Amino acid sequence: PIEEGRTLSISIQPLILLGEYERAQAAGERARKIFSEAKDNLRLARLEINVGNIFHRQDRFREALTFYERALSQLLPDKDIEGMIATLHNAAVCLIMLNEYEKAEGAYEQVRKICRDHNVPLAIAQAEYNIAYLHYLRGAYGRAIGSLQAASITAQETGDAYHAALCQLDLSEIYLELNINQDAAELAKEAFSSFQQLGIGYEAAKALCNLAIALSQHGEGFRALELLAQGRDLFVKEKNHVWPSLIDLYRALVYFNEGRLPEAQQYCQAALEFFQVSPLPGRAILCRLLLARISMKTGEIEIAREQCLTALRGLGGKEMPLIAYQAHFVMGQIEEAVHDREQALCHYRAATEMLELLRGGVHGEELKISFVKNRLEVYENLVDLCLASGETKDACEEAWVYIEQAKSRSLLELIVHRMNPMPAEGPEENPVSHRIRDLREQLNWYYHRIEAEQLGHVTASDERLLGLRELAQERERDLLRALRESPPAPVDGSAVFVSLDSLCKALGPNTTLLEYFRVQDRILAAVVRETGVEIISVTLAARVAQILRMLQLQLSKFHLGTDYVQEFERPIFEATQYHLNELYTELIAPVRSRLQGRHLVVVPHELLHYIPFHALFDGAQYLIDAFTLSYAPSANIYMQCRQKPVNKTGGSLILGVPDRQVPSIYDELQAVAEIVPHAKVFLGPDANEKVLKEHGPQSRLVHIATHGFFRKDNPMFSGIRLGDSFLTLYDLYQLKLPAELVTLSGCSTGLTVVAAGDELIGLVRGLLSAGARSLLLTLWDVNDGSTAEFMKAFYRRLSNHPDRASAVREAMIEVRERYPNPYFWAPFILVG
């Protein structure tokens, strides 16, 4: 009989995985009768674990906990190590789902202690897997991703297909939270396929739901609803009572995003009816928040308020920062709708506190940038509310603080921490580091092949080039995923925001900082001077976008060939000036009287990063005729660049890769080398990454003349061509370049993609994080001849006096005498 009871008890887990819960319960009852008659308390305790797993699998966590606690009380006296570990693991997962994180952490600490005391390494690995999920739920995304990646490698090495697929499933869930939807979809697909092959319906259904959510974020609402219906059928088949209601909530969200409010309300209400009487408080709160948002859309403000207040009461000090952020943000919108400014400010401030808390748990460049996507509206609302009662001194100062908090935060941290987001290479590198290095080498090979095929004497077929590009893009995706999953770099210090007083004092009487910020469709301009800050509403974003498109159209005509440009030289010039005058009228004229001193620091926002402010035309002169100009991603980054330690002495490093497309590069380098002090010149194959790594850290000036390429489709892989490789943004992160000035004179080296949080993804980011104080870059594809002349004029003036902004201004004026069209003299920008 005992052997029969053991067999019945052991059969419960495979029956659970197959979704045959009634058979599992029947087996448990028969085994319980056998062990009770035999008075075998140890096996009864083991049975309690397995029966608890039935309820656990059905998301009936309180009932499962009852069985696990009963098992623990019977196991402790007998010192059944394996049983105690399993029970504590399972109880901790239940506690996590019930948002009782501290109790869960306590259970895991017990597991760790037992495993260490009794040398059970595999159980420690399993604990780490579960702790990873705990980190995720608490908002520590970076730690969660690292732990899951480590658990995935262990599972693959030991042939544990189930836990390897679980890691994919959990990673897809985290990436959804971080708005990395493409990777989330790919991981969810892989997990679904793995679970289908294993015949495991519960996790397969969860993977389908994650895939559906990712697709809905890409606007594929109909396909998302199809997958959610398919997932719901699987859960019903599994006899799971919780997930069908959770899928109703997901359906409601998809319908809400599609603007179908009646369907959204119907499904959300159905989900709430289930969750408000279930022991899963977080999901009931989410239902109420979505109902509040729906009621706001339909104009039922009081209903929205009641739902949101109930949600906030439900939080009750629980450690759910992401849900708390959403609750305070929605409540702020409600208070703003009823014109209660003080309460709205209070809730928006609370929402930003939650964002800061969550942001601290995100490690890795792209993760941080993706995380803030769709979550920065709270800063816009705060700025708007601060200025709603009038542009008073206090209101402007508080609004400016929120403007700065919304801009280039991740880049600021990179500069302040001087940290390296890529793992170091070396003999002791971990498997992820090794894979990153291998992928970078593969990418260099593909980039060289693509360039060779394009520039060869016999042009490659479109089919062959397409195949090479697809292979390169596949490696790029693999590299991005590996970088996300690599261990976070150690942080040296913390990003401290400078005060407005400190900024004003640093600017002095001769400098004005002009900082732009978009609030909904309005563009605001903050004018910061020695005496303080003023904020003025200047224009509409849609108007500027339209003018900018027309300006870019004129600049693009220079790609149509010399004959075309010569034939239409005058109308192109007049049209370009006309659009530059329009932009001046929109962006500069409203604040022109407030711009004091001789130097202007421009801090753009969003699409304004593509505007050559120095070339804006008032009808009589360009802005560069009235001021010296420089640019910065944010006021805090401007201050960090002023303060960062750089090489005050040292030689000049000059690299160039000339070819038949840019023949003037050789003349440019020769002229620059004769002007700058202690020049070390490297040409062609000698102008390589090794030379840059060896001489860059000691150089005061670094000048690189070569092809630049801007990847709008994947800005992380924008870069420049060196003699032996292609230097991309991630390669720049590896470098140390504490130079006073780094110049990249190739095409479009200053172009960036402006990501969430006004993060600039391009070479600007890499060079500032590498340590450079100032950058001289280009905003569009430059003319070879006029660029060479500009660089000669710039370095001649720089050799006479160290004011880089003055040297840029005078060089522009000199080149403009021969090349009047701004296309030739205005692509150059001084950043930092």
Side-chain angles (χ1 to χ4, degrees):
I2 291 294
E3 294 306 311
E4 181 187 353
R6 289 180 63 198
T7 306
L8 287 165
S9 182
I10 290 168
S11 74
I12 291 173
Q13 191 62 30
L15 287 168
I16 289 171
L17 290 173
L18 293 169
E20 299 188 32
Y21 302 113
E22 290 176 5
R23 285 183 64 193
Q25 287 281 15
E29 289 305 314
R30 288 170 60 196
R32 186 185 306 282
K33 185 177 179 182
I34 292 169
F35 295 146
S36 297
E37 289 175 355
K39 294 184 171 50
D40 192 335
N41 291 330
L42 177 57
R43 290 199 170 98
L44 268 173
R46 286 289 191 107
L47 178 64
E48 301 287 18
I49 302 171
N50 293 339
V51 174
N53 290 349
I54 300 173
F55 293 100
H56 185 177
R57 185 73 169 183
Q58 295 176 304
D59 292 341
R60 295 161 66 178
F61 300 116
R62 285 286 177 211
E63 293 163 273
L65 266 178
T66 302
F67 283 90
Y68 295 146
E69 288 164 0
R70 197 184 301 163
L72 264 181
S73 67
Q74 295 175 21
L75 286 169
L76 284 171
D78 298 281
K79 295 188 170 21
D80 181 349
I81 304 306
E82 186 182 335
M84 286 169 61
I85 290 171
T87 309
L88 285 165
H89 265 303
N90 296 353
V93 174
C94 288
L95 290 164
I96 287 173
M97 299 312 296
L98 294 166
N99 299 304
E100 296 180 20
Y101 297 135
E102 289 184 9
K103 289 182 181 178
E105 200 162 11
Y108 283 133
E109 287 306 320
Q110 280 185 268
V111 172
R112 278 178 167 160
K113 186 175 187 309
I114 293 168
C115 293
R116 282 195 297 267
D117 292 347
H118 296 86
N119 191 24
V120 191
L122 286 178
I124 293 177
Q126 188 185 354
E128 294 299 336
Y129 165 78
N130 287 313
I131 288 171
Y133 199 74
L134 177 59
H135 289 324
Y136 157 58
L137 292 173
R138 301 180 82 168
Y141 300 109
R143 292 177 68 186
I145 290 170
S147 299
L148 283 170
Q149 178 62 19
S152 176
I153 292 169
T154 302
Q156 290 168 19
E157 288 173 350
T158 57
D160 186 347
Y162 174 66
H163 277 93
L166 271 183
C167 290
Q168 291 174 320
L169 178 63
D170 290 350
L171 281 168
S172 74
E173 193 167 346
I174 294 172
Y175 285 160
L176 279 176
E177 204 69 74
L178 295 171
N179 293 298
I180 307 173
N181 295 313
Q182 184 176 345
D183 273 19
E186 289 175 6
L187 285 163
K189 277 183 188 175
E190 292 169 15
F192 176 69
S193 176
S194 298
F195 289 126
Q196 270 199 319
Q197 289 174 15
L198 292 167
I200 299 174
Y202 176 85
E203 281 83 0
K206 284 183 71 174
L208 269 184
C209 292
N210 285 0
L211 177 57
I213 296 166
L215 291 175
S216 73
Q217 297 297 326
H218 274 287
E220 298 183 49
F222 182 75
R223 177 65 181 144
L225 289 169
E226 283 185 330
L227 291 176
L228 288 172
Q230 188 180 342
R232 196 179 196 281
D233 290 342
L234 281 172
F235 280 120
V236 170
K237 186 179 176 182
E238 285 272 315
K239 295 184 174 60
N240 187 296
H241 300 292
V242 173
W243 267 91
S245 293
L246 187 57
I247 287 176
D248 283 344
L249 174 57
Y250 292 158
R251 281 170 161 173
L253 187 59
V254 174
Y255 280 123
F256 179 80
N257 291 335
E258 295 285 313
R260 296 168 62 177
L261 301 183
E263 293 100 325
Q265 189 170 37
Q266 176 189 343
Y267 280 107
C268 195
Q269 191 64 49
L272 178 60
E273 286 172 9
F274 175 84
F275 287 121
Q276 67 185 352
V277 294
S278 80
L280 300 168
R283 290 167 185 177
I285 292 169
L286 285 172
C287 290
R288 292 194 182 280
L289 290 176
L290 183 52
L291 285 170
R293 292 168 67 191
I294 293 168
S295 296
M296 283 189 67
K297 289 276 188 183
T298 58
E300 299 169 291
I301 301 299
E302 282 309 310
I303 295 175
R305 176 196 291 277
E306 186 54 40
Q307 291 286 10
C308 203
L309 285 173
T310 306
L312 283 165
R313 286 194 293 267
L315 282 167
K318 294 182 177 68
E319 195 176 352
M320 294 185 282
L322 187 57
I323 297 177
Y325 158 73
Q326 294 177 46
H328 283 293
F329 179 65
V330 173
M331 198 67 214
Q333 290 180 309
I334 293 167
E335 299 293 4
E336 192 173 1
V338 297
H339 308 294
D340 191 335
R341 178 178 176 275
E342 289 306 315
Q343 280 300 309
L345 280 171
C346 180
H347 284 289
Y348 285 146
R349 287 168 184 152
T352 60
E353 288 175 15
M354 292 299 106
L355 270 186
E356 294 300 317
L357 179 65
L358 284 162
R359 210 176 171 284
V362 181
H363 304 291
E365 271 294 273
E366 198 190 4
L367 294 181
K368 285 195 173 182
I369 294 166
S370 300
F371 170 77
V372 297
K373 184 181 177 184
N374 305 328
R375 295 193 174 108
L376 288 178
E377 191 180 352
V378 64
Y379 293 106
E380 290 180 43
N381 293 2
L382 278 166
V383 171
D384 205 20
L385 275 177
C386 287
L387 301 175
S389 59
E391 294 162 3
T392 63
K393 180 176 182 293
D394 290 344
C396 287
E397 288 180 359
E398 185 178 2
W400 179 82
V401 170
Y402 294 128
I403 287 171
E404 275 294 296
Q405 286 182 359
K407 283 190 172 187
S408 292
R409 290 283 302 284
S410 179
L411 176 55
L412 176 64
E413 287 164 7
L414 267 180
I415 295 169
V416 173
H417 297 161
R418 297 184 298 281
M419 63 185 188
N420 180 353
M422 291 187 63
E425 298 172 4
E428 297 181 1
E429 64 184 359
N430 61 47
V432 177
S433 302
H434 179 79
R435 175 143 178 77
I436 288 170
R437 181 165 53 82
D438 187 46
L439 285 166
R440 288 173 66 220
E441 289 172 358
Q442 290 181 46
L443 274 173
N444 262 324
W445 186 87
Y446 281 114
Y447 292 154
H448 272 298
R449 289 306 314 146
I450 291 168
E451 185 182 58
E453 299 281 2
Q454 286 176 324
L455 301 179
H457 294 292
V458 179
T459 307
S461 68
D462 291 342
E463 185 179 351
R464 176 167 171 75
L465 277 173
L466 181 62
L468 283 169
R469 287 196 182 101
E470 285 176 351
L471 289 168
Q473 287 168 2
E474 185 181 325
R475 299 305 186 280
E476 287 171 353
R477 286 194 295 271
D478 290 343
L479 177 56
L480 285 176
R481 187 181 292 184
L483 284 161
R484 290 184 198 124
E485 295 168 356
S486 62
V491 175
D492 176 21
S494 59
V496 178
F497 286 101
V498 298
S499 67
L500 181 62
D501 288 342
S502 300
L503 174 63
C504 293
K505 185 177 179 182
L507 291 174
N510 289 320
T511 302
T512 300
L513 186 139
L514 180 59
E515 180 163 14
Y516 292 93
F517 189 69
R518 181 190 58 77
V519 173
Q520 295 163 10
D521 194 42
R522 292 180 298 124
I523 293 178
L524 307 179
V527 183
V528 187
R529 299 171 302 203
E530 187 181 30
T531 53
V533 60
E534 289 181 85
I535 300 180
I536 303 100
S537 181
V538 292
T539 186
L540 299 178
R543 171 73 178 142
V544 173
Q546 181 185 3
I547 300 169
L548 179 59
R549 279 195 298 272
M550 299 305 295
L551 173 64
Q552 290 171 335
L553 173 65
Q554 296 305 320
L555 295 174
S556 70
K557 289 182 178 180
F558 286 86
H559 294 294
L560 299 176
T562 306
D563 292 342
Y564 178 91
V565 172
Q566 287 178 346
E567 183 177 354
F568 297 102
E569 180 179 3
R570 190 68 196 170
I572 292 173
F573 175 61
E574 289 174 353
T576 302
Q577 268 200 336
Y578 176 78
H579 298 312
L580 289 168
N581 177 243
E582 284 186 300
L583 288 171
Y584 182 96
T585 302
E586 300 295 329
L587 295 168
I588 299 297
V591 296
R592 179 63 182 86
S593 61
R594 295 172 169 85
L595 306 182
Q596 297 176 358
R598 62 181 181 81
H599 183 62
L600 184 61
V601 180
V602 178
V603 180
H605 190 224
E606 295 181 346
L607 61 87
L608 303 188
H609 285 284
Y610 305 113
I611 290 178
F613 280 86
H614 52 279
L616 299 191
F617 187 61
D618 68 0
Q621 64 176 2
Y622 297 99
L623 198 60
I624 194 68
D625 295 319
F627 300 96
T628 58
L629 267 89
S630 65
Y631 297 80
S634 73
N636 276 277
I637 290 174
Y638 166 75
M639 288 293 285
Q640 289 297 333
C641 289
R642 285 176 60 113
Q643 298 162 4
K644 68 166 61 175
V646 293
N647 298 326
K648 296 290 187 183
T649 59
S652 304
L653 178 62
I654 301 175
L655 306 179
V657 186
D659 61 37
R660 65 175 185 269
Q661 288 190 320
V662 280
S664 296
I665 280 182
Y666 183 79
D667 294 337
E668 174 189 326
L669 295 185
Q670 200 170 30
V672 172
E674 290 174 359
I675 299 169
V676 299
H678 313 297
K680 294 178 182 176
V681 182
F682 298 88
L683 289 172
D686 295 330
N688 54 47
E689 189 175 350
K690 181 183 176 184
V691 163
L692 194 56
K693 284 183 175 179
E694 183 180 342
H695 297 285
Q698 295 83 40
S699 299
R700 184 180 174 191
L701 300 176
V702 177
H703 182 98
I704 303 175
T706 181
H707 280 299
F709 52 93
F710 173 62
R711 289 278 304 278
K712 190 172 183 178
D713 66 313
N714 199 340
M716 297 287 185
F717 295 97
S718 295
I720 55 173
R721 180 186 173 216
L722 292 182
D724 64 341
S725 64
F726 288 79
L727 200 68
T728 66
L729 171 57
Y730 278 115
D731 300 316
L732 289 172
Y733 281 153
Q734 287 277 75
L735 297 178
K736 286 185 172 59
L737 292 175
E740 282 196 342
L741 174 68
V742 174
T743 301
L744 300 183
S745 64
C747 293
S748 304
T749 54
L751 274 184
T752 61
V753 163
V754 184
D758 209 49
E759 296 288 352
L760 309 183
I761 315 298
L763 299 179
V764 168
R765 183 179 203 84
L767 291 167
L768 289 178
S769 68
R773 173 173 286 173
S774 299
L775 314 173
L776 185 57
L777 307 170
T778 59
L779 269 182
W780 53 80
D781 291 351
V782 294
N783 175 270
D784 189 35
S786 59
T787 298
E789 288 196 27
F790 175 87
M791 291 301 163
K792 293 174 195 174
F794 168 72
Y795 282 109
R796 276 201 307 271
R797 285 161 175 80
L798 193 63
S799 65
N800 295 327
H801 54 81
D803 186 342
R804 293 179 285 278
S806 293
V808 168
R809 176 179 180 272
E810 291 169 18
M812 283 183 177
I813 292 171
E814 180 181 323
V815 172
R816 197 170 72 202
E817 291 177 4
R818 181 175 173 187
Y819 301 94
N821 194 301
Y823 168 80
F824 295 100
W825 60 265
F828 310 102
I829 55 171
L830 188 66
V831 181

